[in-house]
Amino acid sequence: MLKITAIFSNILKIDPIQRQSIISLFWQISFTAIGFLSTMYFAHTAGASILGSYFLFLAYYGIFNMVTDGGFGGAVVKRISEGEDPNAYFSAYFILRLIFTITGILILLVFKDYFVDLNNSRIFAWMLLLLFVSAIAGPISSGVAGKGKMGIRNTCEGISNISRVMIQIPAIYLGYETVGLVGGMVAGVILAAIIEFRFFDLYLVRFKWKHIKSLFVFSFWLFLTSSGVLVFSQADTIFIGYFMNTENVGIYRVILQFTGIAAFSSNALRMTLWPRVSQWGKTKELYFVEESLPRAISYSLVLAIPVLLGGILLGDRLLYSFYGADFAQGYYVLIILLAVQVVNVFQYFFTMYLDALNHPQESFKVTAVGVGANIALNIILIPLIGINGVAIATLVTMTLNALLAWHALSRYMTIRLERQSLSNIMISSIVMGVIVGVYRLFVPLSNVWITILAVAIGGMTYGFLILKFDKKVYTEMKDIIEKVGIGFVWPGWL
C-alpha cells in the first residue's frame, strides 16, 4: 500500500503534460483492452446485426448531441482556459446547452415516427434520456477540461467507458440485446459525471451578453467544424445502414474499433495538449506551440505505423480468431482503416492546433471540403464495392483534409517534423515486419494463441528497436519510469 501511495506521489511530480498524457494513455489502454474483450463477447453472443443497431444508435446520438451542444462545449473550454471570467462563461454555456437540449428533445418527439431504426429497436426513449443526461454531464466535463484538469477528465472518461462495458456484458448475457448496450452507455455517463463533479470548482453566476457573444463567435466555426468531423466519424455508419444492412454496419464498426489501438498515443496527447496550446496561444508563447507539435506527431506515429504493418501481416487471422468468420471478410477494410489512423495523426493535430490557436474558421474551411468529398465518395462507392468503398472514401478524404490543414496551419506557425525520429520508427517497423513475416511463413497460425504469440514477438522486437535507435524516446521513457518509481530496473544494455 505504501508503495502504491509513493508511486502516485511521484506521478504528481512529473511535468503536467507528461503526467496527464500518461493518465490519458493508461485509460486509453485500459478501456481498449476491456472494449476488445467485450466486443469479442458481443460479436460471438449477440452477432453483427445487434452490434450494428447499437452503432447506428451511437451515430444518431453523435449527430443529436452535436446539435444540442451547438459547438459551445469546445468554445467554453477555450474561454475558461484563457482564465478570464471562467464562472461567467461556464454559466452562459450551461444555460445555452440546457435550452438547446430541451428544444432538441421536443423536436425529436414531434418527428418520432421518422426514426424507424430507433423505434424498431425500442431505444428511442433511451436516446432522449441520454441527451438530457449529457446536457448535465457535458458542462461539468467541459469545465474540468477548461481548468486544465485533463488527468481528472481522462480518468472519469475511462471510468465511464469501463463501467459501461461492465453493465453491457451481463445485459447481453440476460438477453437485453440493443437495449442492454444502450442502457450501459447511459449508466456510464451518469457515473462518470457524479465522480467528475467532486473535482469541479466552477459555479453558476450572473453572466452578461458579452459572454454569450464571445461563446457564439468561437462556437459558430467550431460547430461547423465539429459537424464536418462528425461526418467522418458517423456518416459512414448511416450510409452503410441505408445502402446495406445492420449486419454490415456491425462488421465495419467493429473493425473500426479494432483499429483504435493505433490511435492510443494521438488520443492521449490530443486531449492533453488542447488546453495547453490554447493557453500558449493566448500568451503568445509560440515557441512552445511549435515545439510541441512535432513531438506529438512523432509519439503518435510510434504506435500507428507498426500497428499498420502488423495489421497487414496478421489482420486476417486476428479478425477470424477474435470475432468470427463473419468479421474476417473485412480484412481489406482493416488495412485501409489502419492507414486512415496514420493519416489521422496529422489531420487531427493540425485541425486541433488551428482551433486551439483561435482559428476555427480555417479548420472549418478545411473540414468542409473533406465533408463534401466524403459524402460524394460514399454515395458512389458503397453501391459498387460495399464496405470497402466506405473505407476508401474515408482514407481519401482524410488525406485531403490533412494536406489542407497543413497548408492552413503553416500560415500561423512553423511546422516541422522530426525526420530522425520518423526514420527510426520506419526502420524499426520494417525490421519487425520482416521477423513477423518469417514467423508466419514457417508457423501456421492455426489458433488464437499462436497468432497472439506472433503479435507479442513483433511488439517486443519493435519496442526494443525503437528504444535502441531513438534516444529521445529512450531518454524520456527512462526519465518517466524513474520519476514514477515503480521499481523497474532500466536495462543497462539499452
Side-chain angles (χ1 to χ4, degrees), residues 51-64 117-118 121 123-128 130-131 178 181-183 185-186 234 237 249:
L51 283 173
S53 297
Y54 174 59
F55 289 128
L56 279 173
F57 173 88
L58 295 181
Y60 282 123
Y61 168 69
I63 294 173
F64 300 151
D117 293 328
L118 299 182
S121 301
I123 53 178
F124 183 82
W126 285 96
M127 176 67 70
L128 302 183
L130 183 56
L131 288 173
T178 308
L181 295 173
V182 171
M185 180 178 180
V186 175
Q234 302 297 349
T237 302
V249 172

mmCIF file of all heavy atoms in Angstrom, residues 51-64 117-118 121 123-128 130-131 178 181-183 185-186 234 237 249:
data_model
loop_
_atom_site.group_PDB
_atom_site.id
_atom_site.type_symbol
_atom_site.label_atom_id
_atom_site.label_comp_id
_atom_site.label_asym_id
_atom_site.label_seq_id
_atom_site.Cartn_x
_atom_site.Cartn_y
_atom_site.Cartn_z
ATOM 1 N N LEU A 51 -25.034 -5.601 -32.880
ATOM 2 C CA LEU A 51 -23.978 -4.589 -32.778
ATOM 3 C C LEU A 51 -24.214 -3.464 -33.777
ATOM 4 O O LEU A 51 -23.984 -2.287 -33.476
ATOM 5 C CB LEU A 51 -22.613 -5.228 -33.022
ATOM 6 C CG LEU A 51 -22.019 -6.036 -31.862
ATOM 7 C CD1 LEU A 51 -20.753 -6.762 -32.306
ATOM 8 C CD2 LEU A 51 -21.712 -5.145 -30.671
ATOM 9 N N GLY A 52 -24.693 -3.815 -34.958
ATOM 10 C CA GLY A 52 -24.984 -2.793 -35.957
ATOM 11 C C GLY A 52 -26.066 -1.829 -35.488
ATOM 12 O O GLY A 52 -25.964 -0.614 -35.703
ATOM 13 N N SER A 53 -27.108 -2.336 -34.847
ATOM 14 C CA SER A 53 -28.166 -1.468 -34.309
ATOM 15 C C SER A 53 -27.608 -0.526 -33.247
ATOM 16 O O SER A 53 -27.977 0.658 -33.189
ATOM 17 C CB SER A 53 -29.294 -2.325 -33.711
ATOM 18 O OG SER A 53 -29.902 -3.118 -34.697
ATOM 19 N N TYR A 54 -26.728 -1.049 -32.410
ATOM 20 C CA TYR A 54 -26.117 -0.224 -31.364
ATOM 21 C C TYR A 54 -25.235 0.856 -31.973
ATOM 22 O O TYR A 54 -25.277 2.025 -31.559
ATOM 23 C CB TYR A 54 -25.289 -1.120 -30.441
ATOM 24 C CG TYR A 54 -24.485 -0.378 -29.399
ATOM 25 C CD1 TYR A 54 -25.103 0.456 -28.467
ATOM 26 C CD2 TYR A 54 -23.096 -0.532 -29.338
ATOM 27 C CE1 TYR A 54 -24.367 1.127 -27.507
ATOM 28 C CE2 TYR A 54 -22.352 0.128 -28.371
ATOM 29 C CZ TYR A 54 -22.991 0.959 -27.460
ATOM 30 O OH TYR A 54 -22.258 1.630 -26.512
ATOM 31 N N PHE A 55 -24.465 0.515 -32.987
ATOM 32 C CA PHE A 55 -23.610 1.514 -33.628
ATOM 33 C C PHE A 55 -24.424 2.576 -34.360
ATOM 34 O O PHE A 55 -24.018 3.738 -34.430
ATOM 35 C CB PHE A 55 -22.630 0.831 -34.581
ATOM 36 C CG PHE A 55 -21.551 0.044 -33.887
ATOM 37 C CD1 PHE A 55 -21.302 -1.280 -34.231
ATOM 38 C CD2 PHE A 55 -20.788 0.622 -32.888
ATOM 39 C CE1 PHE A 55 -20.308 -2.004 -33.584
ATOM 40 C CE2 PHE A 55 -19.791 -0.088 -32.234
ATOM 41 C CZ PHE A 55 -19.547 -1.405 -32.582
ATOM 42 N N LEU A 56 -25.578 2.192 -34.915
ATOM 43 C CA LEU A 56 -26.462 3.180 -35.519
ATOM 44 C C LEU A 56 -26.991 4.143 -34.454
ATOM 45 O O LEU A 56 -27.116 5.349 -34.692
ATOM 46 C CB LEU A 56 -27.628 2.494 -36.230
ATOM 47 C CG LEU A 56 -27.337 1.961 -37.636
ATOM 48 C CD1 LEU A 56 -28.532 1.161 -38.153
ATOM 49 C CD2 LEU A 56 -27.028 3.103 -38.597
ATOM 50 N N PHE A 57 -27.310 3.605 -33.270
ATOM 51 C CA PHE A 57 -27.737 4.459 -32.148
ATOM 52 C C PHE A 57 -26.642 5.464 -31.812
ATOM 53 O O PHE A 57 -26.925 6.660 -31.623
ATOM 54 C CB PHE A 57 -28.057 3.589 -30.932
ATOM 55 C CG PHE A 57 -28.338 4.382 -29.677
ATOM 56 C CD1 PHE A 57 -29.620 4.820 -29.388
ATOM 57 C CD2 PHE A 57 -27.316 4.686 -28.774
ATOM 58 C CE1 PHE A 57 -29.886 5.556 -28.233
ATOM 59 C CE2 PHE A 57 -27.568 5.418 -27.630
ATOM 60 C CZ PHE A 57 -28.862 5.849 -27.360
ATOM 61 N N LEU A 58 -25.400 5.001 -31.742
ATOM 62 C CA LEU A 58 -24.290 5.899 -31.433
ATOM 63 C C LEU A 58 -24.128 6.968 -32.506
ATOM 64 O O LEU A 58 -23.811 8.127 -32.198
ATOM 65 C CB LEU A 58 -22.990 5.097 -31.296
ATOM 66 C CG LEU A 58 -22.907 4.101 -30.137
ATOM 67 C CD1 LEU A 58 -21.547 3.403 -30.143
ATOM 68 C CD2 LEU A 58 -23.138 4.789 -28.801
ATOM 69 N N ALA A 59 -24.358 6.584 -33.767
ATOM 70 C CA ALA A 59 -24.234 7.554 -34.856
ATOM 71 C C ALA A 59 -25.295 8.639 -34.736
ATOM 72 O O ALA A 59 -25.010 9.838 -34.866
ATOM 73 C CB ALA A 59 -24.349 6.841 -36.202
ATOM 74 N N TYR A 60 -26.537 8.233 -34.497
ATOM 75 C CA TYR A 60 -27.612 9.214 -34.330
ATOM 76 C C TYR A 60 -27.368 10.093 -33.100
ATOM 77 O O TYR A 60 -27.577 11.306 -33.134
ATOM 78 C CB TYR A 60 -28.964 8.505 -34.199
ATOM 79 C CG TYR A 60 -29.538 8.012 -35.498
ATOM 80 C CD1 TYR A 60 -29.857 6.665 -35.684
ATOM 81 C CD2 TYR A 60 -29.774 8.894 -36.546
ATOM 82 C CE1 TYR A 60 -30.391 6.204 -36.876
ATOM 83 C CE2 TYR A 60 -30.315 8.443 -37.744
ATOM 84 C CZ TYR A 60 -30.618 7.101 -37.904
ATOM 85 O OH TYR A 60 -31.145 6.653 -39.086
ATOM 86 N N TYR A 61 -26.909 9.464 -32.015
ATOM 87 C CA TYR A 61 -26.634 10.239 -30.802
ATOM 88 C C TYR A 61 -25.535 11.261 -31.055
ATOM 89 O O TYR A 61 -25.614 12.407 -30.582
ATOM 90 C CB TYR A 61 -26.217 9.308 -29.661
ATOM 91 C CG TYR A 61 -25.631 10.063 -28.475
ATOM 92 C CD1 TYR A 61 -26.434 10.869 -27.679
ATOM 93 C CD2 TYR A 61 -24.264 9.985 -28.186
ATOM 94 C CE1 TYR A 61 -25.899 11.575 -26.613
ATOM 95 C CE2 TYR A 61 -23.729 10.678 -27.129
ATOM 96 C CZ TYR A 61 -24.549 11.472 -26.343
ATOM 97 O OH TYR A 61 -24.015 12.173 -25.293
ATOM 98 N N GLY A 62 -24.519 10.870 -31.806
ATOM 99 C CA GLY A 62 -23.447 11.811 -32.119
ATOM 100 C C GLY A 62 -23.975 13.040 -32.825
ATOM 101 O O GLY A 62 -23.575 14.171 -32.527
ATOM 102 N N ILE A 63 -24.900 12.837 -33.761
ATOM 103 C CA ILE A 63 -25.470 13.960 -34.502
ATOM 104 C C ILE A 63 -26.344 14.818 -33.599
ATOM 105 O O ILE A 63 -26.214 16.052 -33.557
ATOM 106 C CB ILE A 63 -26.283 13.442 -35.703
ATOM 107 C CG1 ILE A 63 -25.348 12.764 -36.711
ATOM 108 C CG2 ILE A 63 -27.053 14.581 -36.371
ATOM 109 C CD1 ILE A 63 -26.071 12.065 -37.842
ATOM 110 N N PHE A 64 -27.247 14.182 -32.848
ATOM 111 C CA PHE A 64 -28.157 14.942 -31.991
ATOM 112 C C PHE A 64 -27.405 15.673 -30.880
ATOM 113 O O PHE A 64 -27.727 16.818 -30.538
ATOM 114 C CB PHE A 64 -29.211 14.011 -31.371
ATOM 115 C CG PHE A 64 -30.068 13.298 -32.378
ATOM 116 C CD1 PHE A 64 -30.618 12.053 -32.091
ATOM 117 C CD2 PHE A 64 -30.309 13.847 -33.623
ATOM 118 C CE1 PHE A 64 -31.404 11.388 -33.018
ATOM 119 C CE2 PHE A 64 -31.093 13.190 -34.567
ATOM 120 C CZ PHE A 64 -31.638 11.955 -34.258
ATOM 121 N N ASP A 117 -35.398 3.061 -37.335
ATOM 122 C CA ASP A 117 -34.395 2.171 -36.728
ATOM 123 C C ASP A 117 -34.448 2.232 -35.204
ATOM 124 O O ASP A 117 -34.387 1.198 -34.524
ATOM 125 C CB ASP A 117 -32.991 2.554 -37.208
ATOM 126 C CG ASP A 117 -32.798 2.298 -38.696
ATOM 127 O OD1 ASP A 117 -33.404 1.345 -39.205
ATOM 128 O OD2 ASP A 117 -32.065 3.066 -39.340
ATOM 129 N N LEU A 118 -34.553 3.432 -34.660
ATOM 130 C CA LEU A 118 -34.593 3.583 -33.205
ATOM 131 C C LEU A 118 -35.879 3.010 -32.617
ATOM 132 O O LEU A 118 -35.863 2.385 -31.548
ATOM 133 C CB LEU A 118 -34.461 5.063 -32.822
ATOM 134 C CG LEU A 118 -33.169 5.768 -33.243
ATOM 135 C CD1 LEU A 118 -33.167 7.215 -32.759
ATOM 136 C CD2 LEU A 118 -31.944 5.042 -32.711
ATOM 137 N N SER A 121 -35.916 -0.863 -32.639
ATOM 138 C CA SER A 121 -35.026 -1.435 -31.613
ATOM 139 C C SER A 121 -35.443 -1.051 -30.203
ATOM 140 O O SER A 121 -34.759 -1.402 -29.235
ATOM 141 C CB SER A 121 -33.575 -0.972 -31.863
ATOM 142 O OG SER A 121 -33.125 -1.375 -33.133
ATOM 143 N N ILE A 123 -35.341 1.830 -28.661
ATOM 144 C CA ILE A 123 -34.322 2.622 -27.968
ATOM 145 C C ILE A 123 -34.509 4.124 -28.176
ATOM 146 O O ILE A 123 -33.628 4.902 -27.827
ATOM 147 C CB ILE A 123 -32.901 2.205 -28.431
ATOM 148 C CG1 ILE A 123 -32.781 2.250 -29.960
ATOM 149 C CG2 ILE A 123 -32.549 0.825 -27.901
ATOM 150 C CD1 ILE A 123 -31.392 1.901 -30.486
ATOM 151 N N PHE A 124 -35.663 4.539 -28.725
ATOM 152 C CA PHE A 124 -35.887 5.966 -28.929
ATOM 153 C C PHE A 124 -35.930 6.711 -27.594
ATOM 154 O O PHE A 124 -35.320 7.787 -27.445
ATOM 155 C CB PHE A 124 -37.193 6.201 -29.694
ATOM 156 C CG PHE A 124 -37.456 7.642 -30.014
ATOM 157 C CD1 PHE A 124 -36.868 8.241 -31.115
ATOM 158 C CD2 PHE A 124 -38.273 8.414 -29.200
ATOM 159 C CE1 PHE A 124 -37.091 9.578 -31.412
ATOM 160 C CE2 PHE A 124 -38.512 9.751 -29.480
ATOM 161 C CZ PHE A 124 -37.921 10.329 -30.588
ATOM 162 N N ALA A 125 -36.637 6.152 -26.612
ATOM 163 C CA ALA A 125 -36.731 6.798 -25.299
ATOM 164 C C ALA A 125 -35.351 6.886 -24.635
ATOM 165 O O ALA A 125 -35.049 7.873 -23.942
ATOM 166 C CB ALA A 125 -37.695 6.030 -24.399
ATOM 167 N N TRP A 126 -34.506 5.882 -24.861
ATOM 168 C CA TRP A 126 -33.152 5.909 -24.316
ATOM 169 C C TRP A 126 -32.342 7.044 -24.935
ATOM 170 O O TRP A 126 -31.494 7.647 -24.279
ATOM 171 C CB TRP A 126 -32.460 4.569 -24.570
ATOM 172 C CG TRP A 126 -32.942 3.467 -23.682
ATOM 173 C CD1 TRP A 126 -33.888 2.536 -23.964
ATOM 174 C CD2 TRP A 126 -32.512 3.198 -22.343
ATOM 175 N NE1 TRP A 126 -34.084 1.695 -22.898
ATOM 176 C CE2 TRP A 126 -33.245 2.078 -21.885
ATOM 177 C CE3 TRP A 126 -31.578 3.775 -21.487
ATOM 178 C CZ2 TRP A 126 -33.072 1.538 -20.620
ATOM 179 C CZ3 TRP A 126 -31.395 3.235 -20.226
ATOM 180 C CH2 TRP A 126 -32.133 2.137 -19.801
ATOM 181 N N MET A 127 -32.609 7.348 -26.210
ATOM 182 C CA MET A 127 -31.928 8.460 -26.864
ATOM 183 C C MET A 127 -32.269 9.781 -26.170
ATOM 184 O O MET A 127 -31.375 10.598 -25.900
ATOM 185 C CB MET A 127 -32.338 8.526 -28.335
ATOM 186 C CG MET A 127 -31.762 9.720 -29.094
ATOM 187 S SD MET A 127 -29.961 9.635 -29.271
ATOM 188 C CE MET A 127 -29.830 8.279 -30.437
ATOM 189 N N LEU A 128 -33.537 9.982 -25.875
ATOM 190 C CA LEU A 128 -33.951 11.212 -25.205
ATOM 191 C C LEU A 128 -33.325 11.313 -23.813
ATOM 192 O O LEU A 128 -32.867 12.391 -23.403
ATOM 193 C CB LEU A 128 -35.474 11.264 -25.095
ATOM 194 C CG LEU A 128 -36.264 11.178 -26.412
ATOM 195 C CD1 LEU A 128 -37.760 11.322 -26.138
ATOM 196 C CD2 LEU A 128 -35.798 12.238 -27.393
ATOM 197 N N LEU A 130 -30.508 9.931 -22.779
ATOM 198 C CA LEU A 130 -29.068 10.165 -22.903
ATOM 199 C C LEU A 130 -28.770 11.620 -23.264
ATOM 200 O O LEU A 130 -27.805 12.207 -22.765
ATOM 201 C CB LEU A 130 -28.475 9.231 -23.952
ATOM 202 C CG LEU A 130 -26.958 9.300 -24.155
ATOM 203 C CD1 LEU A 130 -26.221 9.052 -22.841
ATOM 204 C CD2 LEU A 130 -26.507 8.289 -25.203
ATOM 205 N N LEU A 131 -29.595 12.222 -24.102
ATOM 206 C CA LEU A 131 -29.409 13.633 -24.453
ATOM 207 C C LEU A 131 -29.579 14.527 -23.233
ATOM 208 O O LEU A 131 -28.812 15.479 -23.027
ATOM 209 C CB LEU A 131 -30.391 14.041 -25.551
ATOM 210 C CG LEU A 131 -30.114 13.485 -26.951
ATOM 211 C CD1 LEU A 131 -31.265 13.833 -27.893
ATOM 212 C CD2 LEU A 131 -28.799 14.028 -27.499
ATOM 213 N N THR A 178 -29.904 -4.870 -27.869
ATOM 214 C CA THR A 178 -29.539 -3.470 -28.098
ATOM 215 C C THR A 178 -29.879 -2.593 -26.901
ATOM 216 O O THR A 178 -29.126 -1.674 -26.556
ATOM 217 C CB THR A 178 -30.253 -2.927 -29.354
ATOM 218 O OG1 THR A 178 -30.010 -3.800 -30.456
ATOM 219 C CG2 THR A 178 -29.738 -1.542 -29.701
ATOM 220 N N LEU A 181 -27.125 -2.749 -24.370
ATOM 221 C CA LEU A 181 -25.937 -1.992 -24.765
ATOM 222 C C LEU A 181 -26.149 -0.499 -24.541
ATOM 223 O O LEU A 181 -25.269 0.198 -24.020
ATOM 224 C CB LEU A 181 -25.610 -2.269 -26.235
ATOM 225 C CG LEU A 181 -25.203 -3.704 -26.584
ATOM 226 C CD1 LEU A 181 -25.078 -3.870 -28.095
ATOM 227 C CD2 LEU A 181 -23.899 -4.078 -25.899
ATOM 228 N N VAL A 182 -27.314 0.009 -24.917
ATOM 229 C CA VAL A 182 -27.607 1.436 -24.770
ATOM 230 C C VAL A 182 -27.754 1.815 -23.296
ATOM 231 O O VAL A 182 -27.249 2.852 -22.850
ATOM 232 C CB VAL A 182 -28.893 1.790 -25.549
ATOM 233 C CG1 VAL A 182 -29.337 3.213 -25.236
ATOM 234 C CG2 VAL A 182 -28.668 1.626 -27.043
ATOM 235 N N GLY A 183 -28.411 0.980 -22.525
ATOM 236 C CA GLY A 183 -28.570 1.251 -21.095
ATOM 237 C C GLY A 183 -27.241 1.323 -20.375
ATOM 238 O O GLY A 183 -27.044 2.158 -19.483
ATOM 239 N N MET A 185 -24.462 2.336 -21.666
ATOM 240 C CA MET A 185 -23.836 3.609 -22.033
ATOM 241 C C MET A 185 -24.383 4.745 -21.183
ATOM 242 O O MET A 185 -23.633 5.583 -20.680
ATOM 243 C CB MET A 185 -24.087 3.893 -23.509
ATOM 244 C CG MET A 185 -23.466 5.203 -23.979
ATOM 245 S SD MET A 185 -23.721 5.486 -25.733
ATOM 246 C CE MET A 185 -22.868 7.065 -25.909
ATOM 247 N N VAL A 186 -25.701 4.795 -21.007
ATOM 248 C CA VAL A 186 -26.318 5.848 -20.192
ATOM 249 C C VAL A 186 -25.806 5.779 -18.756
ATOM 250 O O VAL A 186 -25.460 6.807 -18.147
ATOM 251 C CB VAL A 186 -27.857 5.728 -20.218
ATOM 252 C CG1 VAL A 186 -28.497 6.736 -19.265
ATOM 253 C CG2 VAL A 186 -28.383 5.936 -21.635
ATOM 254 N N GLN A 234 -19.257 9.379 -38.264
ATOM 255 C CA GLN A 234 -20.558 8.740 -38.129
ATOM 256 C C GLN A 234 -21.318 8.557 -39.440
ATOM 257 O O GLN A 234 -22.144 7.660 -39.551
ATOM 258 C CB GLN A 234 -21.445 9.548 -37.159
ATOM 259 C CG GLN A 234 -20.864 9.727 -35.777
ATOM 260 C CD GLN A 234 -20.661 8.420 -35.020
ATOM 261 O OE1 GLN A 234 -21.137 7.365 -35.427
ATOM 262 N NE2 GLN A 234 -19.931 8.475 -33.913
ATOM 263 N N THR A 237 -21.383 5.136 -41.021
ATOM 264 C CA THR A 237 -22.287 4.181 -40.381
ATOM 265 C C THR A 237 -23.700 4.321 -40.934
ATOM 266 O O THR A 237 -24.364 3.323 -41.263
ATOM 267 C CB THR A 237 -22.299 4.403 -38.856
ATOM 268 O OG1 THR A 237 -20.983 4.269 -38.352
ATOM 269 C CG2 THR A 237 -23.220 3.403 -38.172
ATOM 270 N N VAL A 249 -23.114 -2.881 -40.942
ATOM 271 C CA VAL A 249 -22.759 -1.807 -40.012
ATOM 272 C C VAL A 249 -21.933 -2.373 -38.867
ATOM 273 O O VAL A 249 -20.899 -1.818 -38.481
ATOM 274 C CB VAL A 249 -24.018 -1.103 -39.463
ATOM 275 C CG1 VAL A 249 -23.628 -0.130 -38.346
ATOM 276 C CG2 VAL A 249 -24.743 -0.354 -40.575
#
